């Protein structure tokens, strides 16, 4: 079922979450062990992220050979495995970075055959050695171009027009939104216009970057509505779990942490206390969002379920 249909049918706020594929060489069982406890909150779908490829240097006879690899492959396989095992919808994250348009087309064909009809269309970040995102030769530069490719398939239009009169696909497409603006964007308004471009290209819903201050989400939604973005805007939340998050989250996701939260973490005596504080903060955020009538809250589990489990128990 489409994510937008799940949302339309919901009588109360729904629970969903995102997982990351295991590192190459690890078993999928660990992922299942983390998904199992969250099933009691009836997630209508689970998102599975895709990682960018990266360079590794292999020493051979005193020389280093540069190879390209993806440390966490398997997004689509995991989506199919979860869909089959738990009988629920899965949403693979489809990136511009690292894929040619042709490879994207084949990925979408595979999704269609597997009965996966929802995707998140994302540009992806720069590779580790790059300062800024560089489009893959033959790939898309921005997420809205990827959305357009999916919409073309929804009209039965393949690349290079090699197939005519084909059965149209029916993908429901999510895109990313940034309540604190995307870090490359010169201003909030400019970023919102880019978001509108993605929606105008055919995106059906938006999932936000994590935020720790609900006021930023509410303001973002108001501004989006003002410029005619009328699709569901799903809030994405993550509980702080360790002290290092105070530096890591702003650095990786280019977000601010509220003073009260930072002060609270700094007062904690142990990581156990920080974890508890993170859960309480996330519960308080979720309660306010539920009261405001958001259709669904999407939790960034990063593959670990125990703190999301405690949040879910309080709310869903
Ligand atoms: P875009 O919408 O293409 O925007 C990128 C930047 O370009 C923005 O600053 C935008 O304002 C600007 N822009 C857009 N169009 C134009 C234009 N025509 N001209 C000039 N500027 C323009 N990353 C991963 O690698 N894997 C994942 O699985 C993943 N999942 C995510 C899930 C969510 C919910 C979110 C919020 C992010 C996720 N990301 C993931 C991170 C995402 O890939 C990065 O934030 C990336 O830097 C931007 O992706 P985007 O799709 O928002 O890009």
């Amino acid at each position: 079922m489409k994510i937008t249909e799940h949302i339309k049918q919901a009588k109360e706020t729904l629970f969903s979450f995102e997982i990351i594929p295991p590192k190459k060489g690890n078993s999928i069982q660990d992922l299942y062990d983390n998904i199992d406890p969250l099933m009691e909150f009836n997630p209508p779908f689970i998102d599975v992220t895709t990682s960018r490829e990266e360079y590794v240097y292999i020493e051979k006879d005193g020389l280093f050979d540069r190879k390209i690899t993806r440390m966490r492959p398997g997004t689509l396989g995991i989506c199919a495995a979860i869909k089959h095992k738990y009988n629920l919808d899965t949403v693979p994250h489809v990136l511009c970075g690292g894929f040619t348009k042709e490879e994207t087309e084949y990925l979408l064909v595979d999704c269609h055959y597997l009965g996966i009809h929802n995707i998140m269309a994302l540009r992806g970040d720069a590779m580790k050695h790059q300062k800024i995102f560089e489009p893959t030769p033959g790939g898309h530069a921005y997420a809205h171009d990827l959305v357009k490719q999916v919409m073309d398939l929804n009209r039965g239009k393949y690349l290079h027009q090699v197939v005519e009169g084909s059965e149209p696909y029916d993908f429901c497409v999510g895109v990313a939104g940034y309540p604190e603006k995307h870090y490359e964007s010169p201003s909030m308004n400019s970023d919102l216009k880019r978001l509108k471009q993605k929606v105008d290209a055919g995106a059906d819903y938006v999932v936000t970057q994590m935020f720790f201050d609900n006021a930023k989400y509410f303001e973002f939604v108001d501004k989006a509505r003002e410029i005619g973005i009328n699709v569901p805007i799903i809030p994405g939340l993550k509980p702080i779990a360790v002290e290092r998050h105070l530096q890591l989250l702003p650095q990786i996701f280019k977000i601010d942490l509220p003073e009260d939260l930072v002060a609270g973490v700094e007062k904690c005596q142990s990581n156990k206390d920080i974890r508890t504080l993170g859960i309480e903060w996330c519960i308080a955020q979720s309660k306010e969002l539920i009261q405001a009538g958001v259709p669904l809250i999407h939790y960034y589990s990063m593959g670990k379920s125990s703190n999301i489990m405690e949040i879910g128990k309080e709310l869903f």
Side-chain angles (χ1 to χ4, degrees):
M1 192 154 92
K2 288 183 177 188
I3 304 307
T4 43
E5 284 165 18
H6 284 297
I7 288 173
K8 253 186 227 148
Q9 287 182 11
K11 297 204 168 46
E12 47 198 27
T13 305
L14 301 169
F15 164 94
S16 71
F17 60 101
E18 174 177 304
I19 55 167
I20 54 178
K23 274 203 176 141
K24 241 188 319 208
N26 289 355
S27 135
I28 197 171
Q29 189 55 46
D30 190 40
L31 212 49
Y32 292 152
D33 292 344
N34 278 287
I35 293 173
D36 286 344
L38 300 179
M39 292 311 290
E40 74 170 88
F41 311 124
N42 298 317
F45 63 91
I46 298 175
D47 272 49
V48 184
T49 64
T50 295
S51 66
R52 280 301 310 263
E53 71 282 26
E54 57 189 271
Y55 285 118
V56 287
Y57 294 86
I58 315 288
E59 197 195 338
K60 198 177 167 206
D61 303 330
L63 293 172
F64 284 95
D65 200 6
R66 193 172 77 163
K67 299 279 181 204
I68 200 153
T69 190
R70 207 174 284 275
M71 296 307 282
R72 294 176 183 272
T75 300
L76 187 57
I78 292 169
C79 282
I82 295 174
K83 183 178 160 62
H84 178 68
K85 181 171 164 68
Y86 298 97
N87 193 25
L88 49 69
D89 285 308
T90 46
V91 185
H93 288 193
V94 178
L95 301 185
C96 302
F99 298 90
T100 64
K101 292 172 199 168
E102 286 77 9
E103 286 165 340
T104 299
E105 183 171 277
Y106 307 146
L107 178 73
L108 294 167
V109 169
D110 283 341
C111 287
H112 179 69
Y113 289 149
L114 289 165
I116 292 170
H117 302 301
N118 298 284
I119 64 138
M120 266 300 276
L122 299 147
R123 188 197 70 178
D125 281 319
M127 286 172 75
K128 276 186 187 156
H129 70 283
Q130 294 170 338
K131 279 222 163 74
I132 52 161
F133 176 86
E134 287 169 26
T136 297
H140 295 296
Y142 295 106
H144 70 84
D145 297 318
L146 173 55
V147 176
K148 280 187 199 154
Q149 183 179 3
V150 184
M151 290 305 130
D152 277 347
L153 278 176
N154 278 359
R155 285 187 285 269
K157 187 176 167 207
Y158 289 75
L159 290 172
H160 317 311
Q161 299 178 325
V162 287
V163 181
E164 275 174 29
S166 62
E167 197 186 78
Y169 287 0
D170 193 19
F171 283 109
C172 171
V173 179
V175 289
Y178 302 86
E180 300 181 53
K181 98 171 178 62
H182 184 260
Y183 61 95
E184 287 169 30
S185 202
S187 70
M188 191 70 212
N189 283 343
S190 157
D191 203 28
L192 275 161
K193 278 187 203 151
R194 299 303 183 190
L195 179 60
K196 175 121 186 342
Q197 231 178 341
K198 293 192 271 193
V199 173
D200 290 346
D204 298 284
Y205 68 100
V206 176
V207 182
T208 75
Q209 183 57 280
M210 64 182 73
F211 56 90
F212 292 86
D213 176 358
N214 285 352
K216 290 189 173 158
Y217 168 79
F218 292 131
E219 201 183 326
F220 174 71
V221 174
D222 286 347
K223 283 189 172 156
R225 300 301 182 223
E226 269 168 29
I227 63 163
I229 297 174
N230 295 317
V231 298
I233 300 179
I234 297 169
L237 297 184
K238 173 185 162 47
I240 290 255
V242 288
E243 191 172 7
R244 250 161 59 82
H245 280 159
L246 290 191
Q247 285 80 44
L248 282 182
L249 299 180
Q251 199 185 326
I252 299 173
F253 301 107
K254 314 291 189 263
I255 49 164
D256 273 348
L257 299 181
E259 292 297 343
D260 286 357
L261 179 59
V262 175
V265 171
E266 284 171 353
K267 266 194 225 142
C268 286
Q269 302 292 321
S270 65
N271 266 340
K272 189 165 168 251
D273 293 348
I274 295 173
R275 184 177 173 281
T276 306
L277 175 75
I279 289 169
E280 284 167 359
W281 188 277
C282 195
I283 289 173
Q285 269 194 286
S286 306
K287 279 187 176 161
E288 192 183 22
L289 290 166
I290 291 169
Q291 251 179 357
V294 299
L296 186 146
I297 303 180
H298 189 67
Y299 292 92
Y300 294 107
S301 81
M302 309 289 188
K304 296 283 167 225
S305 60
S306 71
N307 49 3
I308 307 294
M309 173 79 191
E310 288 183 46
I311 293 160
K313 269 200 170 135
E314 262 320 292
L315 302 161
F316 297 98

